[in-house]
Amino acid sequence: QVQLVESGGGLVQPGGSLRLSCEASGVIFSNYCMGWFRQAPGAEREFVAGITWSGGGSRYGASVMGRFTISRDNAKNTVSLQMNNMKPEDTAVYYCAADSTSREQNRCVSGEHMHQWGKGTLVTVSS
């Protein structure tokens, strides 16, 4: 069972950048589709981004398209989320997630089959 630990959260001003990382342990990382989700206070959990096993394919939620970039380093068992041009509405707890069941690319990046979750890291966008 994969263990996921997020890091990199904090306070950033509107228009600023932040990079989140998630380190996985206990499994063969390259066998997992990975994703990032977020949940703002009082809101439903929202899909942010998903990435395939090798990192060759990705998908983004509409609200972050063009501003956020997901990447992975299978040699280091890490998945990252680079967040640029951040907005106050990006404030949320960000969660790393993993899926070992998907075998087809579209399903892999959809984020709909995640079954392992990290504990989250808080991101606050405020001046």
Side-chain angles (χ1 to χ4, degrees), residues 7 19 21 29 40 46 52 63-64 68 81 87 107 118 126-127:
S7 62
R19 186 177 181 88
S21 291
F29 184 63
E46 177 188 11
T52 58
S63 61
V64 306
F68 290 11
L81 185 68
K87 305 175 181 180
R107 173 182 163 125
S126 175
S127 55

Side-chain angles (χ1 to χ4, degrees), residues 71-108:
S71 61
R72 68 189 294 164
D73 185 338
N74 286 346
K76 296 181 179 179
N77 285 8
T78 59
V79 59
S80 298
L81 185 68
Q82 177 66 42
M83 304 183 290
N84 298 328
N85 189 22
M86 296 187 73
K87 305 175 181 180
E89 51 264 41
D90 293 323
T91 295
V93 176
Y94 283 70
Y95 298 92
C96 174
D99 163 28
S100 65
T101 67
S102 295
R103 296 293 180 264
E104 185 273 327
Q105 179 164 319
N106 285 334
R107 173 182 163 125
C108 181

Side-chain angles (χ1 to χ4, degrees), residues 2-127:
V2 62
Q3 306 295 319
L4 302 172
V5 179
E6 301 96 337
S7 62
L11 175 65
V12 62
Q13 292 186 341
S17 298
L18 204 61
R19 186 177 181 88
L20 304 182
S21 291
C22 171
E23 183 172 359
S25 60
V27 295
I28 300 174
F29 184 63
S30 57
N31 287 348
Y32 283 74
C33 305
M34 299 299 297
W36 286 95
F37 292 73
R38 67 187 183 186
Q39 187 165 20
E44 298 284 321
R45 186 169 62 196
E46 177 188 11
F47 171 75
V48 175
I51 192 167
T52 58
W53 315 267
S54 66
S58 60
R59 183 179 293 179
Y60 296 89
S63 61
V64 306
M65 187 95 60
R67 300 188 298 121
F68 290 11
T69 303
I70 189 171
S71 61
R72 68 189 294 164
D73 185 338
N74 286 346
K76 296 181 179 179
N77 285 8
T78 59
V79 59
S80 298
L81 185 68
Q82 177 66 42
M83 304 183 290
N84 298 328
N85 189 22
M86 296 187 73
K87 305 175 181 180
E89 51 264 41
D90 293 323
T91 295
V93 176
Y94 283 70
Y95 298 92
C96 174
D99 163 28
S100 65
T101 67
S102 295
R103 296 293 180 264
E104 185 273 327
Q105 179 164 319
N106 285 334
R107 173 182 163 125
C108 181
V109 297
S110 71
E112 296 174 359
H113 304 281
M114 300 297 174
H115 56 85
Q116 296 292 336
W117 298 83
K119 294 184 177 180
T121 185
L122 177 63
V123 172
T124 303
V125 184
S126 175
S127 55

